[in-house]
Amino acid sequence: MADKQKILIVDDDANIAELISLYLTKECFETQIAGDGESALKIFKYFAPDLILLDLMLPGIDGYEVCRELRKISKVPIIMLSAKGEVFDKVLGLELGADDYIIKPFDSKELVARVKAVLRRFKSSESVTYNPENEAIKNNMAPKSQFVEFPDLIINLTNYSVTYNGKNIEMPPKELELLYFLASSPNQVFTREQLLDRLWGYEYVGDTRTVDVHIKRIREKLGESKYWALSTVWGIGYKFEIRQ
């Protein structure tokens, strides 16, 4: 039998934490509970969870700071839990590297579905090396690998690195994943809703501007290339365009 996937639940409300643990245990997950941010960081080191459910309003170190600290050392998926439903709070959480954002109160079935969706995405990221002179590769006929490569750009999902013109470019996980996803399907147009659904795992109604924020920051870091462009398709979305 395969080992159970482990979920770290970080919430200062013991009743909510226990209830979430019950839901996930019934779905064959192994759980551990932390009641504050400091405990969460300590437990993370020995529990080695596959995913973290992180409440934002914690005593001492809040959820945002916990997320920042975790992202310095790990790419583990993080789903933020919060009673705050404002766009600013959601965007901030995603910008810090969270993979999803659930507003309290939530339905137990939705929570479990989100957890499973994020875990699936985290485990199944794949792409191919792109060679503009080889259409077979473009059509997914070549052996798959964990990176995409262009004459001046390498996006490596294995170690979450981006190399542009021989220099390493620092990017938060979601920026890198967005760039990687678009570059994996050159010249294909994706709507903002499709990108949110594929990268965050659900319809993020009303908050599509978070995609615009990520694209803007990626462009600021990479600048212009004669080989490709991160192009806006007005009224639709974005594409990674190959320049002939």
Side-chain angles (χ1 to χ4, degrees):
M1 180 181 293
D3 292 337
K4 292 182 179 181
Q5 290 181 296
K6 298 186 289 186
I7 311 295
L8 175 57
I9 303 164
V10 188
D11 200 311
D12 63 331
D13 188 320
N15 292 328
I16 291 178
E18 290 291 346
L19 193 58
I20 293 174
S21 179
L22 179 62
Y23 295 150
L24 294 174
T25 300
K26 286 182 178 179
E27 295 294 327
C28 297
F29 290 103
E30 179 181 350
T31 65
Q32 185 78 263
I33 295 173
D36 57 70
E38 186 175 356
S39 298
L41 294 174
K42 290 179 180 178
I43 294 173
F44 172 80
K45 293 179 180 179
Y46 67 80
F47 185 56
D50 296 289
L51 181 143
I52 298 174
L53 290 170
L54 178 61
D55 185 40
L56 293 181
M57 304 303 291
L58 297 171
I61 305 173
D62 67 17
Y64 292 120
E65 186 59 30
V66 172
C67 186
R68 287 191 188 94
E69 292 301 314
L70 289 172
R71 280 293 170 256
K72 293 177 182 178
I73 59 174
S74 175
K75 307 299 182 184
V76 64
I78 297 173
I79 298 179
M80 287 186 167
L81 308 176
S82 178
K84 295 183 176 182
E86 297 298 324
V87 171
F88 171 81
D89 297 301
K90 296 177 185 178
V91 172
L92 177 58
L94 297 172
E95 284 298 312
L96 290 175
D99 297 86
D100 203 342
Y101 190 108
I102 302 178
I103 300 173
K104 296 179 179 180
F106 46 78
D107 180 79
S108 61
K109 292 182 179 179
E110 179 187 8
L111 174 67
V112 172
R114 296 275 190 91
V115 166
K116 291 181 176 180
V118 170
L119 285 170
R120 281 197 303 271
R121 290 201 313 276
F122 188 74
K123 300 266 182 200
S124 65
S125 296
E126 283 188 332
S127 190
V128 300
T129 300
Y130 178 79
N131 183 339
E133 296 180 355
N134 190 337
E135 288 300 314
I137 295 178
K138 182 178 178 181
N139 292 320
N140 295 333
M141 295 174 65
K144 291 188 175 182
S145 59
Q146 290 292 317
F147 65 92
V148 287
E149 183 174 1
F150 299 86
D152 57 356
L153 178 67
I154 300 174
I155 310 163
N156 192 326
L157 197 63
T158 303
N159 59 10
Y160 272 72
S161 66
V162 176
T163 304
Y164 180 55
N165 286 328
K167 296 181 179 180
N168 184 59
I169 306 297
E170 294 293 331
M171 283 190 185
K174 270 293 173 283
E175 288 179 21
L176 189 147
E177 289 167 8
L178 177 57
L179 177 62
Y180 174 82
F181 180 78
L182 290 169
S184 298
S185 301
N187 297 320
Q188 182 174 343
V189 179
F190 294 94
T191 66
R192 292 169 177 82
E193 290 78 11
Q194 286 175 324
L195 293 172
L196 286 167
D197 184 58
R198 294 296 295 272
L199 294 169
W200 280 275
Y202 64 103
E203 294 292 342
Y204 206 47
V205 179
D207 294 338
T208 56
R209 68 177 186 177
T210 193
V211 174
D212 301 330
V213 171
H214 282 70
I215 292 290
K216 178 176 180 291
R217 293 186 176 181
I218 294 171
R219 285 171 173 165
E220 289 173 348
K221 292 172 182 177
L222 297 183
E224 294 290 329
S225 172
K226 64 180 180 180
Y227 301 105
W228 52 267
L230 200 53
S231 300
T232 300
V233 181
W234 297 108
I236 302 177
Y238 297 98
K239 68 176 178 177
F240 191 92
E241 182 178 1
I242 302 302
R243 291 174 169 170
Q244 302 297 330

